[in-house]
Amino acid sequence: MTSHPRPPSASVPPAPPGRVGEARLARGAVQALPLAATSDEALARAAAAGHPGAAAVVWTRFAPLVRRLLRRTLGPGDEVEDRVQDTFLRFFRSAGELRDPALLQSYIVGIAMRVAREELRRRRLRRWLQLTPTGVLPEAAWSGVDAGARAAVARLYTLLDGVDDRARMLFVLRHIEGLELTEIAAAMDTSLATVKRHLARASQRILAAAQRDPELAAYLEAPGGESAARLGGGA
């Protein structure tokens, strides 16, 4: 059984004096309610207030989502867990900057996407400097996945390596992860119209290329189709 890292320890400054009452309410919300009943809004306020139990609750609730997003955006690899840790460390450093606590999930997804973009840039730099192999995915990442799916996923990430970071992330968030357009706009801190425009271009380019690839044609049939999500599930 694969063991996942423990949540990173959070060092969050206490709430300003003018928000003491709000901080107490946030702390009380987390203490009084079981994990399943604690709202994202109450949890975000508790994290911003430096509640000692907030870190573990945030990790338990959102680490699976962040891990899946990063794995599907970056592809299989040993660095995914490091990037998960990085995402939550950044969140706890900036929790007090979240303008709307009800958008906690979108805020964390946005941080994860920025972490992913930075990792993609580092990969390109390492390839240019010839410090790492060409990006062939390690065999260990494919345990339990049939050969056809392995080939298709490898081809998908080769294709995604050829598009810009924004197109790659939009495609993954929409067609593989299945997020709503409004969720993507909130996560990427941009307008819904901008998301629609860039997503349409990215989808057309990526899916057209996939349809021309014999390894991918059977998996990527149409924008938003289940086959795209099925292929991403192998990553």
Side-chain angles (χ1 to χ4, degrees):
M1 179 180 296
T2 302
S3 61
H4 296 303
R6 298 172 64 184
S9 59
S11 178
V12 182
R19 298 180 62 187
V20 170
E22 182 179 335
R24 288 175 178 168
L25 287 174
R27 291 168 187 261
V30 174
Q31 289 174 340
L33 295 174
L35 175 61
T38 304
S39 70
D40 284 0
E41 182 174 358
L43 183 55
R45 294 184 186 280
H51 188 286
V57 180
V58 170
W59 175 270
T60 300
R61 184 173 299 182
F62 296 108
L65 170 63
V66 169
R67 185 176 293 110
R68 188 172 67 245
L69 284 171
L70 290 172
R71 187 183 300 119
R72 289 177 168 181
T73 302
L74 301 173
D78 295 337
E79 75 282 351
V80 168
E81 286 302 328
D82 290 338
R83 302 290 77 80
V84 173
Q85 294 274 341
D86 192 13
T87 296
F88 284 96
L89 287 171
R90 294 188 189 195
F91 165 72
F92 289 117
R93 285 197 296 265
S94 66
E97 299 174 11
L98 176 56
R99 294 187 297 270
D100 185 351
L103 297 179
L104 175 60
Q105 177 172 303
S106 295
Y107 187 69
I108 292 175
V109 169
I111 295 173
M113 290 298 95
R114 289 192 291 276
V115 168
R117 177 173 290 184
E118 292 172 9
E119 174 61 26
L120 291 171
R121 289 172 178 169
R122 281 192 294 267
R123 286 183 181 181
R124 284 196 295 271
L125 180 59
R126 289 195 294 264
R127 284 198 294 267
W128 291 337
L129 296 176
Q130 298 182 343
L131 296 178
T132 60
T134 57
V136 176
L137 299 176
E139 190 66 26
W142 302 110
S143 176
V145 181
D146 67 81
R150 287 201 301 270
V153 174
R155 291 294 301 160
L156 173 63
Y157 282 99
T158 298
L159 190 158
L160 292 177
D161 282 342
V163 302
D164 63 88
D165 296 343
R166 179 170 56 186
R168 178 177 183 141
M169 287 185 282
L170 284 171
F171 182 85
V172 168
L173 289 174
R174 179 59 173 169
H175 296 303
I176 297 180
E177 189 59 28
L179 294 187
E180 297 294 333
L181 295 177
T182 51
E183 294 177 299
I184 298 172
M188 301 190 74
D189 196 21
T190 190
S191 70
L192 182 60
T194 298
V195 166
K196 289 180 178 179
R197 183 171 64 255
H198 289 291
L199 178 62
R201 294 173 183 170
S203 300
Q204 182 179 14
R205 178 180 177 185
I206 294 171
L207 292 170
Q211 289 288 355
R212 295 192 296 269
D213 190 310
E215 297 286 355
L216 293 176
Y219 289 88
L220 298 175
E221 297 171 350
E226 292 183 359
S227 49
R230 187 175 76 250
L231 178 58

